Amino acid sequence: MQVTLRIKRFNPEADTQSHFENYQVEVEPTDRVLDALQTVKWYQDGTLTLRRSCAHGICGSDAMLINGRNRLACKVLIRDLGNKIQIEPMRGFRVLKDLVVDMEPFFAKYRQVMPYLVNNDPVPQTERLQSPEEHERFEDTTKCILCAACTTACPSYWSNHEFLGPAAIVQGHRFIFDSRDQLKSERLAVLNDMTGVWRCRTIFNCVEACPRGIDVTKAIGEVKKAILFGKT
């Protein structure tokens, strides 16, 4: 089938503002949007700039706005979109070039929640054991691949870029509810700030945008309860 890709382009060396360009591409219905974009870059316009890596929905590199929704280009099939596809960079981030956005502010917020295990007990002879129930308590939020699809789908983030955003809160949740971790109170203090969980308005855009199926809004709600009632 033939599809029309309407791609939002921006070259900081030549453009004063973004604009759309159209490309006609021959694809199979089972091809992914990433396949179509790579066809454009390899055979039609080598200046097209985008991020991609594993192409299997694991690295999160190729998150972008596809027909108005945040998605991973490597997971969305052409047959599910039709023959006219509009592709734009993610909202809320500074565009560096074409579909590539500046992710540094996103990762700065990620680092604020201290996304690593802290345990000051003597190092055991074997791994630090957990029961299946203890692991299940935070298993959902371990699926996050830091693609930023949830954060850039969040109206609260669009209106206030100081907001930590759903992805950072999800990463905080992953360690707050880990029975092995000993830095819960410090993380909860970060998330209890004016730019933390209380900026969330429970709109559920983040849940719809997450390519890993994480119940982001539920995780944010659990962090709020942990702050209010101190139960993890």
Side-chain angles (χ1 to χ4, degrees):
M1 60 184 291
Q2 187 175 76
V3 299
T4 300
L5 299 185
R6 187 170 186 257
I7 304 175
K8 198 168 191 178
R9 304 292 306 271
F10 174 71
N11 180 355
E13 296 180 357
D15 300 327
T16 57
Q17 60 184 12
S18 300
H19 62 280
F20 283 96
E21 295 183 14
N22 293 335
Y23 300 89
Q24 305 298 319
V25 184
E26 287 285 342
V27 293
E28 296 292 333
T30 52
D31 282 346
R32 304 158 301 170
V33 171
L34 181 60
D35 297 318
L37 286 170
Q38 291 184 148
T39 298
V40 171
K41 182 169 180 63
W42 294 341
Y43 301 107
Q44 297 185 29
D45 187 347
T47 68
L48 178 63
T49 305
L50 66 148
R51 284 193 179 107
R52 87 286 187 276
S53 185
C54 76
H56 287 83
I58 300 299
C59 70
S61 301
D62 60 354
M64 56 189 70
L65 205 61
I66 301 174
N67 282 1
R69 290 178 55 193
N70 279 0
R71 307 182 184 189
L72 298 183
C74 64
K75 291 191 68 174
V76 183
L77 301 183
I78 298 293
R79 69 185 182 194
D80 296 328
L81 297 173
N83 58 9
K84 292 184 179 180
I85 304 170
Q86 182 163 301
I87 302 171
E88 305 167 70
M90 290 188 292
R91 298 187 182 104
F93 290 164
R94 182 171 66 92
V95 178
L96 298 178
K97 187 179 180 184
D98 294 340
L99 302 174
V100 176
V101 297
D102 182 7
M103 297 284 287
E104 180 50 34
F106 171 79
F107 285 112
K109 290 176 172 56
Y110 165 63
R111 291 189 290 268
Q112 279 184 250
V113 301
M114 297 165 282
Y116 39 82
L117 187 75
V118 176
N119 190 306
N120 296 315
D121 292 341
V123 178
Q125 294 298 313
T126 60
E127 66 270 21
R128 300 184 190 277
L129 298 177
Q130 279 186 313
S131 68
E133 293 76 20
E134 287 173 327
H135 180 77
E136 186 179 3
R137 184 69 184 86
F138 64 92
E139 182 177 14
D140 191 39
T141 46
T142 66
K143 301 172 187 175
C144 178
I145 56 175
L146 296 172
C147 65
C150 64
T151 294
T152 62
C154 176
S156 295
Y157 181 79
W158 300 341
S159 63
N160 185 343
H161 286 185
E162 296 302 312
F163 176 37
L164 287 174
I169 299 171
V170 161
Q171 291 293 326
H173 178 285
R174 180 258 175 272
F175 291 99
I176 288 166
F177 292 92
D178 190 329
S179 61
R180 302 164 298 178
D181 187 77
Q182 298 177 347
L183 205 67
K184 303 181 194 304
S185 59
E186 289 85 347
R187 290 196 189 88
L188 289 172
V190 171
L191 294 170
N192 192 29
D193 187 77
M194 288 178 60
T195 60
V197 292
W198 307 113
R199 285 281 176 187
C200 172
R201 297 295 182 262
T202 320
I203 297 170
F204 288 91
N205 277 18
C206 52
V207 177
E208 181 180 348
C210 180
R212 301 287 289 170
I214 300 170
D215 194 341
V216 180
T217 304
K218 178 184 177 183
I220 294 173
E222 290 178 345
V223 173
K224 289 178 179 179
K225 289 180 181 178
I227 292 170
L228 290 173
F229 306 114
K231 293 183 179 181
T232 58

